[in-house]
Amino acid sequence: MARIFGLFRSVVFLAWLSAALASMAITASIWALQMTSTVAAMSAKAVSSAVAHRKQLAKAVAKTKAKARLRRAVVAVPFAGLGAIAYFEEQDFQEWLEENPEGTRKQYACEVASLTAEVVDEVLQELPELMRPTPETVLGYMPECE
């Protein structure tokens, strides 16, 4: 009798263990499917967002290139070039003024001069050493700014 009771106990334990493992496997499978679905949805959303951002970026770059091309074309014509330089500089000032509402033309001129001097210095540093002026020489032409 004890042997039958021990065998019965083992069978019940194995049945319980099998049921527990099967339910855990089913639960894990359902969870994995849900996660796969979530990842697929998030990936699709990221791809569509990236495509939209890439299109916006490409459009902005193309627009900037078109503006630069137009500026070069207009500046190439001497008489129209002087007027174009003044017009484009005024446009740049107005854009700068939107970002700096308390700014003055003198502050704008100082900022532009500073950036221009840095760029000129970088370009000149690419020249052979014998022909290259020192950075202090270039930056010495800076206007008096606050």
Side-chain angles (χ1 to χ4, degrees), residues 93-104 107-108 111:
F93 172 70
Q94 293 303 324
E95 289 174 11
W96 178 84
L97 202 55
E98 288 176 11
E99 295 172 8
N100 305 284
E102 301 297 320
T104 63
Q107 290 171 330
Y108 172 73
E111 188 174 321

Side-chain angles (χ1 to χ4, degrees), residues 70-71 80-94:
L70 177 63
R71 286 182 178 190
L82 292 175
I85 288 171
Y87 173 76
F88 290 133
E89 193 58 40
E90 181 62 24
Q91 260 190 334
D92 290 345
F93 172 70
Q94 293 303 324

